[in-house]
């Protein structure tokens, strides 16, 4: 690493970055929460009450991944990770694997659709098939698997690593997220010392906390922003 501009970058992404690949967001008018209630599918209480319903919801979304591909925004961020001379931490709230397939190594703070977790032995494992209440855990045999995603009321993953990166970064970029779900919505405040940029279709709930914003579809704003950043090295 060399040069005075090789500061650390933290990028936070949300459902908006995957929308142009064909995956729904949550809170847009045509989003997931317009058709299903959070309290029926995205809380530990929902899973305890009706695990078959929760499995059906996540099985459908997991199956959808086979039909979608990373878009120009995912690819631009993978290029940023490869070419930026300083550290880049890509944190995604998304449970899809489009960043991974674009060549990034994101930190999935809300877990991953293509992983399962056993409630009996706590093992987590890659998982691409459907899950059911009868599916045995490959590690311990118990029929106690759940999607390895973070529901409301649960602790997001790798918070210490994210906090350290935010504290040391020179640039924080938030992409395609409504800024309504904590703790991710608070990252812009945690990076208050850094340059803070929002790339979103429209102003998010936290827009006023960013020093700079570019509004438009992610497939346009993200490649343009990454090009500018890499030119400034
Ligand atoms: C485009 C675009 C295009 C569209 N280009 N842009 C008060 C009461 C009760 C609870 C709380 C409370 N205050 C805080 C809480 C805690 C709670 C919370 O935040 N609730 C709020 C709703 C109030 N949070 C939690 O419970 C979290 N855990 C927690 O806080 O633990 C304690 C803790 C304390 C301290 C430190 C650390 C921890 C857990 C939250 C788990 C969220 N889980 C989900 C489901 C995951 C699995 C699944 O996918 O099913 O995560 S909910 C859902 O929302 C999903 C997303 O990751 C998350 C964020 O959504 P996102 O990505 O922002 O999507 P949208 O749809 O909201 O926005 C899309 C944006 O894209 C829009 O702005 C569009 O305009 C834009 N867009 N097209 C660019 N083409």
């Amino acid at each position: 690493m060399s040069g005075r501009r090789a500061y650390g970058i933290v990028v936070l992404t949300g459902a908006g970055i995957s929308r142009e690949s064909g995956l729904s967001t949550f809170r847009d008018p045509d989003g997931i929460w317009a058709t299903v209630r959070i309290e029926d599918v995205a809380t530990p209480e929902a899973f305890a009450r009706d695990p078959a319903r929760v499995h059906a919801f996540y099985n459908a979304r997991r199956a959808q991944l086979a039909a979608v591909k990373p878009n120009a925004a995912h690819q631009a961020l993978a290029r940023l990770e490869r070419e930026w001379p300083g550290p880049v931490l890509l944190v995604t709230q998304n449970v899809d694997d489009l960043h991974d397939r674009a060549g990034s190594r994101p930190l999935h703070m809300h877990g991953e659709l293509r992983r399962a977790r056993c409630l009996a032995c706590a093992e987590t494992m890659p998982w691409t098939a459907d899950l059911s209440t009868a599916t045995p855990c490959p590690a311990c045999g118990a029929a106690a698997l759940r999607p390895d995603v973070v529901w409301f009321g649960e602790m997001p993953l790798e918070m210490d690593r994210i906090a350290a990166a935010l504290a040391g970064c020179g640039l924080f970029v938030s992409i395609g997220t409504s800024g309504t779900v904590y703790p991710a919505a608070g990252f812009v405040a945690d990076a208050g010392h850094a340059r803070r940029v929002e790339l979103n279709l429209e102003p998010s709930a936290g827009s006023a906390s960013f020093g700079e914003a570019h509004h438009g579809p992610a497939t346009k704003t993200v490649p343009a922003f990454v090009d500018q950043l890499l030119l400034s090295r």
Side-chain angles (χ1 to χ4, degrees):
M1 180 196 315
S2 67
R4 62 188 171 82
R5 287 180 188 273
Y7 48 79
I9 300 175
V10 177
V11 179
L12 171 70
T13 65
I17 197 169
S18 296
R19 192 182 193 191
E20 291 164 85
S21 289
L23 297 178
S24 295
T25 60
F26 292 93
R27 296 169 184 82
D28 287 305
D30 58 352
I32 291 172
W33 299 151
T35 57
V36 60
R37 295 184 335 146
I38 288 174
E39 49 277 28
D40 287 338
V41 294
T43 65
E45 293 78 15
F47 188 66
R49 198 168 52 242
D50 193 349
R53 174 163 190 191
V54 175
H55 279 316
F57 173 69
Y58 284 98
N59 287 343
R61 288 177 56 203
R62 193 180 304 106
Q64 212 184 355
L65 292 183
V68 299
K69 290 186 187 146
N71 64 43
H74 299 102
Q75 282 153 1
L77 292 178
R79 178 171 169 236
L80 179 67
E81 281 181 292
R82 278 195 310 273
E83 297 185 14
W84 183 251
V88 179
L89 181 65
L90 174 58
V91 180
T92 186
Q93 298 169 85
N94 299 341
V95 297
D96 68 54
D97 60 353
L98 295 181
H99 283 304
D100 312 69
R101 282 196 261 154
S104 286
R105 297 178 60 84
L107 192 161
H108 283 273
M109 66 176 291
H110 289 166
E112 297 176 65
L113 270 176
R114 284 184 159 169
R115 292 190 73 81
R117 173 150 54 92
C118 179
L119 289 169
C121 71
E123 192 73 32
T124 70
M125 61 219 77
W127 202 273
T128 52
D130 282 356
L131 283 169
S132 83
T133 52
T135 313
C137 168
C140 74
L145 292 175
R146 59 164 276 184
D148 191 20
V149 301
V150 177
W151 290 320
F152 282 101
E154 298 185 320
M155 185 63 86
L157 308 175
E158 306 242 38
M159 288 305 299
D160 290 347
R161 203 174 137 208
I162 298 170
L166 286 168
C169 74
L171 169 64
F172 172 70
V173 190
S174 175
I175 303 170
T177 175
S178 59
T180 52
V181 175
Y182 286 85
F187 291 173
V188 62
D190 299 336
H193 57 281
R195 179 184 173 200
R196 300 177 305 284
V197 180
E198 171 167 278
L199 305 178
N200 208 49
L201 196 58
E202 58 194 10
S204 72
S207 223
S209 305
F210 292 86
E212 190 179 331
H214 303 274
H215 296 132
T219 55
K220 296 279 184 281
T221 57
V222 179
F225 184 75
V226 167
D227 282 350
Q228 282 297 315
L229 209 51
L230 290 175
L231 277 175
S232 75
R233 275 175 296 176

